[in-house]
């Protein structure tokens, strides 16, 4: 293994240089995502409302939003987990394909905040973190970056490992002396300590990008149920059923748990009701029920906690990656992981630049060319 360390060091260094800036961006944006909802409530105090005795029907809020933006397509309605939280509507502009977010007071049915992604900083940062604002191409780049980070998080500890007898020395930071030594020892010690967190973050992040491929592999063992993707054609002259009727039906047939989301697909002709699932310990697990928007026919369901093992494993990837599975403790660990990624990326790039600067200083000056008289 000692003979391979120089090889791993070189591969580790050049991989870091290739994706270092992207990893720095991922670390900084990832850190803001950990407490994204809490940050939203701080920077947008208008979305914190005063609760009332009853909420307005969801259909009434939907009608109001569609009246305000008649040409836009409503893709999703997210209900807050806070009793004093606004309902968030996500729309797509049919001309620019830009995302618009509208916060609505669920007790008084008026718009609290309305703007495109740039008016919602955390949403913009999420798009940077998820796709680099480059759509499917950006998502693929993020996946490759995740694999690169996974490789670095594995090879880094191999290069760093001081042996059991000298384990404490591996975490020693030489604060005295020149800045190069200080940053190098900090980078090594920090990387050794954070390696496991980064392996989990990188592995789950890459699997999220290629979730369909992971699902396909697990499907070879017959342990995966595909999420329903029903299609419904438009019915000329027919009006969709009120979404509250579909919500009531979902609760009657699948359990009266809290409503978390409503999603619209197939041109708005399919309505998916997302209820909290009481069949799983996964905190973001949902009972997803798909309805024909016109007839109310049940088009399929996908219930967390009642799925084959492969499907449950795939769905846990997001929960682990976001730190939701263990409450505040795991979210703080995820924050530490994101800050570690940003710090290691920054110090790694600084060390490379410092080394390059020293090499240029040590390089001999070119000989002057003397022309013959």
């Amino acid at each position: 293994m000692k003979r391979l360390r120089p090889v791993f060091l070189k591969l580790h260094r050049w991989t870091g240089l290739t994706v270092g800036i992207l990893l720095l961006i991922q670390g900084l944006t990832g850190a803001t995502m950990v407490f994204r909802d809490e940050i939203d409530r701080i920077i947008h105090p208008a979305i914190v409302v005063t609760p009332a005795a009853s909420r307005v029907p969801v259909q009434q809020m939907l009608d109001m939003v569609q009246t305000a933006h008649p040409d836009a397509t409503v893709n999703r309605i997210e209900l807050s987990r806070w009793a004093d939280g606004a309902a968030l509507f996500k729309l797509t502009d049919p001309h620019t394909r830009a995302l618009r977010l509208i916060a609505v007071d669920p007790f008084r049915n008026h718009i609290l905040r309305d703007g495109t992604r740039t008016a919602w900083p955390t949403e913009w940062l999420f798009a940077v973190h998820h796709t680099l604002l480059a759509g499917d191409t950006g998502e693929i780049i993020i996946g490759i970056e995740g694999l690169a980070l996974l490789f670095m998080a594995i090879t880094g500890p191999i290069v760093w490992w001081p042996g059991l007898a000298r384990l404490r020395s591996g975490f020693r930071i030489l604060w005295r002396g020149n800045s190069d030594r200080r940053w190098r020892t900090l980078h090594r010690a920090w990387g050794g300590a954070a390696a496991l967190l980064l392996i989990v973050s990188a592995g789950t992040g890459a699997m999220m990008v290629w979730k369909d491929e992971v699902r396909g592999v697990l499907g070879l063992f017959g342990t995966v149920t595909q999420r329903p993707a029903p299609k419904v054609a438009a019915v000329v002259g027919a009006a969709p059923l009120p979404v509250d009727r579909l919500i009531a039906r979902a609760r009657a047939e699948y359990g009266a748990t809290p409503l978390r989301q409503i999603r619209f697909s197939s041109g708005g002709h399919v309505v998916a009701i997302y209820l909290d699932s009481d069949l799983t310990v996964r905190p973001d697990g949902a009972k997803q029920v798909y309805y024909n928007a016109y007839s109310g026919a049940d088009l399929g369901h996908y219930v967390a906690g009642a799925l084959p093992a492969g499907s449950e494993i795939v769905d846990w990837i997001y929960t682990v990656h976001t730190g939701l599975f263990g409450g505040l403790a795991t979210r703080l660990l995820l924050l530490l992981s994101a800050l570690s990624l940003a710090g290691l990326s920054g110090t790694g790039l600084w060390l490379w630049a410092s080394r390059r600067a020293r090499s240029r200083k040590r390089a001999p000056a070119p000989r002057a060319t003397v022309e013959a008289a």
Side-chain angles (χ1 to χ4, degrees), residues 58-63 65-66 72-79 88-92 97 228-232 240-244 246-247 259-274 289-294 299:
V58 176
Q59 184 64 50
Q60 190 174 329
M61 291 191 288
L62 178 60
D63 291 341
V65 168
Q66 290 179 321
T73 301
V74 178
N75 302 315
R76 184 181 303 189
I77 306 172
E78 297 178 356
L79 286 303
L88 187 64
F89 287 69
K90 295 186 177 182
L91 296 74
T92 301
R97 307 305 300 170
K231 303 292 183 182
V232 172
L241 295 172
V243 292
D244 297 278
L246 301 178
I247 295 168
L259 173 68
R260 290 307 172 208
Q261 287 189 32
I262 302 171
R263 297 189 185 186
F264 302 89
S265 59
S266 188
H269 312 312
V270 174
V271 181
I273 307 298
Y274 282 55
V289 191
Y290 298 78
Y291 291 109
N292 183 313
Y294 299 104
L299 303 176

Side-chain angles (χ1 to χ4, degrees), residues 262-335:
I262 302 171
R263 297 189 185 186
F264 302 89
S265 59
S266 188
H269 312 312
V270 174
V271 181
I273 307 298
Y274 282 55
L275 305 173
D276 271 350
S277 178
D278 49 5
L279 303 177
T280 179
V281 296
R282 182 160 61 88
D284 54 338
K287 295 180 285 189
Q288 305 171 25
V289 191
Y290 298 78
Y291 291 109
N292 183 313
Y294 299 104
S295 67
D298 189 331
L299 303 176
H301 57 268
Y302 188 88
V303 179
L307 300 169
S311 295
E312 297 287 357
I313 291 171
V314 172
D315 292 342
W316 267 95
I317 293 173
Y318 175 82
T319 309
V320 174
H321 187 74
T322 54
L324 292 174
F325 67 95
L328 179 61
T330 49
R331 293 174 76 191
L332 290 174
L333 279 176
L334 181 65
L335 177 61

